[in-house]
Amino acid sequence: EQLLFWSAAVKKADQQLATCSANQVANVTFQNLLKDPIAVISDIYSSFGWSVSPEFKQNMIDYLDRNKNARSTIPPHLKQFHNYTLQEYGLDRAVVRRHMADYYARHLD
């Protein structure tokens, strides 16, 4: 039921986004944002025709360093992470891909 709801919502949002010009929308995957946030932000800026100044890039580096340092001081017993699997919700990757096929084809493949 939730997969049907979210796949319909993504389809509707994607239809609306299709009416925008390419320089108005940037698609970002969460995995890429986690892996290399500075590259992702730089790519977003570039897609809009903007440039990232050395000062702004340094500010991002400083922020990420401060954030990493702050997180490292949290005692392990207070750190809580959310880990979910598709299987917990009765789903698998093939089912999700099938419901989101248009979006994957347009933005992720």
Side-chain angles (χ1 to χ4, degrees), residues 33-102:
L33 184 61
L34 290 179
K35 184 171 55 175
D36 194 349
I38 293 173
V40 169
I41 298 298
S42 297
D43 288 346
I44 291 169
Y45 268 59
S46 179
S47 73
F48 293 133
W50 305 334
S51 60
V52 171
S53 70
E55 179 184 32
F56 181 55
K57 183 174 181 179
Q58 188 59 52
N59 286 340
M60 289 191 288
I61 291 168
D62 293 345
Y63 169 81
L64 292 169
D65 286 345
R66 281 191 314 273
N67 188 269
K68 183 177 181 181
N69 290 336
R71 284 191 324 239
S72 70
T73 63
I74 299 172
H77 69 282
L78 295 178
K79 291 182 182 179
Q80 294 183 0
F81 296 97
H82 301 280
N83 292 311
Y84 304 104
T85 66
L86 293 173
Q87 291 74 23
E88 290 176 63
Y89 297 94
L91 302 169
D92 64 43
R93 184 177 296 270
V95 170
V96 172
R97 288 284 305 234
R98 192 167 48 253
H99 279 85
M100 305 282 195
D102 291 340

Side-chain angles (χ1 to χ4, degrees), residues 2-23:
Q2 287 296 311
L3 180 58
L4 294 176
F5 171 82
W6 286 110
S7 61
V10 166
K11 184 174 186 171
K12 185 174 181 176
D14 201 37
Q15 289 169 342
Q16 291 296 314
L17 290 172
T19 66
C20 300
S21 64
N23 65 350

